[in-house]
Amino acid sequence: MKFLVDQNLPPRLAQVLNGRFPGSSHVIPLRMDRARDLQIWRNAKEQGYALLTRDDDFHQLSMLHGAPPKVVFLANAEGDAADLARFVAEQLDTIARFMEDPESSLLLIRRP
């Protein structure tokens, strides 16, 4: 599984995820940084991505439609990109377990 990192998160997070989830990307190199949420959702579903976001719209889409795509929702994800990258790196085992669970469609990770 690979991740598509939403436009409201730093591109560096795709690099963090790529080590564990090869093929992960940010929306910018895919020229989707101006796409509407529903377009991103559909693309993720069609291309086999899970979504990493802090956007409530994706949280709601996941609750309404389930997976695919799976959604990792980062709560309290404001602030420094380097700190956020470290936080996501610390959560990789939790994210991997979530990705392996066929019953789960949404993972909420709250940053302290």
Side-chain angles (χ1 to χ4, degrees), residues 19-95:
R20 189 78 167 264
F21 305 99
S24 295
S25 181
H26 193 271
V27 294
I28 291 174
L30 300 177
R31 296 185 179 154
M32 295 189 68
D33 52 312
R34 296 185 188 258
R36 295 186 183 270
D37 291 341
L38 196 52
Q39 290 172 295
I40 293 170
W41 177 269
R42 287 181 182 145
N43 181 271
K45 184 175 183 175
E46 292 168 4
Q47 300 299 318
Y49 285 101
L51 290 167
L52 179 69
T53 187
R54 68 176 191 181
D55 186 334
D56 284 330
D57 291 339
F58 289 116
H59 181 232
Q60 292 173 9
L61 284 167
S62 179
M63 297 297 289
L64 183 63
H65 299 290
K70 286 185 171 240
V71 174
V72 175
F73 182 82
L74 296 178
N76 301 338
E78 298 81 19
D80 181 75
D83 287 340
L84 189 55
R86 278 190 293 277
F87 174 74
V88 169
E90 292 167 359
Q91 302 301 314
L92 287 176
D93 288 338
T94 300
I95 294 169

Side-chain angles (χ1 to χ4, degrees), residues 1-3 20-22 50 67 69-72 91-107:
M1 182 62 72
K2 57 190 176 182
F3 275 88
R20 189 78 167 264
F21 305 99
K70 286 185 171 240
V71 174
V72 175
Q91 302 301 314
L92 287 176
D93 288 338
T94 300
I95 294 169
R97 284 191 299 276
F98 162 71
M99 295 303 292
E100 292 169 0
D101 182 356
E103 301 296 318
S104 297
S105 61
L106 176 67
L107 174 64

